[in-house]
Every structure is written in structure tokens, then in C-alpha cells.
Amino acid sequence: DTEVTQTPKHLVMGMTNKKSLKCEQHMGHRAMYWYKQKAKKPPELMFVYSYEKLSINESVPSRFSPECPNSSLLNLHLHALQPEDSALYLCASSQESLSQAGYTFGSGTRLTVV
Amino acid sequence: AQSVTQLGSHVSVSEGALVLLRCNYSSSVPPYLFWYVQYPNQGLQLLLKYTTGATLVKGINGFEAEFKKSETSFHLTKPSAHMSDAAEYFCAVSKGYQKVTFGIGTKLQVIP
């Protein structure tokens, strides 16, 4: 299995809703990432997990809450989002401490906040 | 801090023509360099990477890139463009542990 699977593919949520994005990989990668990509922009790093521990938080607002229940799963919990949070949310994984190997990306979740 | 500059946010080529997408990097130490491709409404796919060793790197789909330290460049090329190459291409740089910085992207249009 050489894929990163993200669910759901599309999500529409109101500003008072609570929702979660899910990411799963079975490649034995020990680093997992959340990226946010706005239209016509490059991906921007949000969080990095290494060996299931949060190692990087790029000053992301607390309305985004990451969770890594085990080495294969990564969640992003969403609460009280704003319309400007609408974007493509990408999950990626890599061999831990070996960013030179490159990332494997999922297809993303297209989030719309209304 | 490391960064990359992609020259040309849009590039148009005719089908069968040479593809050249430019990327220059800024890094205080030898970097790891990557090219990713993104098709509409998809995630990014790794095309090729340079870490150490041979400076001419071959990737998937017939693409290759050459690391030129003297020019701080890592341009992406393909001898003959195909319609299926139309996509967004991102150059990226990493100095090591986990953090990768992406360029702004170049949208490649292939004209029949």
C-alpha cells in the first residue's frame, strides 16, 4: 500500500459546527503532516507529527486541533471555523527524520465553511 | 532560511515541444530539492528529488532536473510535452528535518 487516504473528499460546514478530517497511511511512515492550500497558492504547513507526537505547530489557530491516535492515523478536528478557512486540506506522510525521501500526499479534503 | 523561487507562474508550450520550468533556491547549506506535480482537485505527487550524488535526476513521466550549485538552480525539463502534462508544478526545498518549503507554483499549459 503506497497511498495516503483522506476522508471525506468534500466537506461543507457551518461556522458553529464541529467536524473532523481523517488521514490514513499504511506505509510504515512515522512522520505525518497537515497542509492547508488556498486556491492558486502553494501548500502551507500546519502541523507535523513524528512518532505520534506533535513536533511542529506553525502557529495555527486553536480552532484547528490535530490528533494522532496511532502511527497510521492522523485527524484534524475543526471547530468554530471562519469562511476564510475554506481551502484544500492535504495530509502527507514521510519516513521519519528523512524529509529527503519526499512526501506522499493524499488527495485532500475540499473544505467549505459557510 | 531556505526558499525557492519559481520563475513564471504560467508557462505555455505546444504539444511535442520542450518543457522547461525554472526553479532557483536559496539555502545556506546544501539543500534537498524536489519537484511535485498537482493535477486539478488532487494532492501533490512527487516527480523527482535531489539529495546527494548525481546532479542530473530522472523522475517519473519523462521529467528530469539538473542540480546546478553554481547557479543555485534546479530546473525541470521534459523533451516533448504531452497533453497529460498540463498541471501545476511546485518546486520545494528542505534543509533536513521534516520541514519543506514550497515555491508558488508554475501552471503548465500544453497547446495542441
Side-chain angles (χ1 to χ4, degrees):
Chain A
D1 188 352
T2 58
E3 290 187 347
V4 173
T5 303
Q6 289 188 245
T7 54
K9 293 194 179 302
H10 300 274
L11 178 62
V12 179
M13 61 184 292
M15 289 188 284
T16 59
N17 291 160
K18 288 185 179 180
K19 296 287 184 183
S20 297
L21 309 185
K22 182 180 176 180
C23 173
E24 191 168 5
Q25 59 89 13
H26 296 287
M27 294 176 283
H29 289 174
R30 302 314 297 267
M32 296 185 75
Y33 312 79
W34 281 114
Y35 277 85
K36 174 182 179 179
Q37 187 179 25
K38 301 282 280 184
K40 303 186 188 305
K41 297 289 186 183
E44 296 178 350
L45 182 65
M46 300 175 72
F47 303 104
V48 179
Y49 272 83
S50 178
Y51 284 91
E52 300 157 48
K53 295 193 184 302
L54 183 65
S55 60
I56 296 176
N57 177 343
E58 291 288 285
S59 302
V60 178
S62 59
R63 57 186 184 269
F64 295 91
S65 176
E67 178 195 22
C68 190
N70 59 57
S71 60
S72 300
L73 283 175
L74 186 66
N75 299 319
L76 186 62
H77 303 297
L78 314 173
H79 173 55
L81 295 193
Q82 302 297 311
E84 58 265 29
D85 296 322
S86 299
L88 181 67
Y89 288 84
L90 294 164
C91 175
S93 69
S94 69
Q95 298 173 38
E96 195 273 334
S97 297
L98 292 175
S99 61
Q100 62 264 35
Y103 294 168
T104 301
F105 279 88
S107 296
T109 294
R110 176 74 60 186
L111 174 66
T112 303
V113 182
V114 297
Chain B
Q2 71 275 21
S3 66
V4 289
T5 301
Q6 291 185 242
L7 299 175
S9 58
H10 287 81
V11 171
S12 293
V13 299
S14 298
E15 191 175 15
L18 172 72
V19 175
L20 171 60
L21 304 181
R22 300 178 187 274
C23 174
N24 288 89
Y25 69 90
S26 171
S27 175
S28 58
V29 298
Y32 304 132
L33 292 160
F34 310 86
W35 276 100
Y36 287 86
V37 60
Q38 186 176 32
Y39 298 100
N41 299 312
Q42 294 290 318
L44 281 72
Q45 181 182 14
L46 181 65
L47 275 178
L48 49 80
K49 62 181 186 284
Y50 170 79
T51 54
T52 58
T55 55
L56 182 61
V57 180
K58 294 188 184 297
I60 62 172
N61 303 339
F63 284 94
E64 62 181 37
E66 186 171 8
F67 172 67
K68 291 187 176 181
K69 186 177 179 181
S70 60
E71 299 177 7
T72 61
S73 69
F74 190 58
H75 301 332
L76 182 70
T77 61
K78 182 175 180 177
S80 177
H82 192 272
M83 295 299 295
S84 61
D85 295 326
E88 188 94 25
Y89 291 81
F90 292 96
C91 182
V93 63
S94 169
K95 264 201 312 188
Y97 193 70
Q98 295 179 341
K99 202 164 180 177
V100 172
T101 302
F102 289 88
I104 63 170
T106 298
K107 186 171 184 178
L108 176 66
Q109 179 185 18
V110 182
I111 303 167

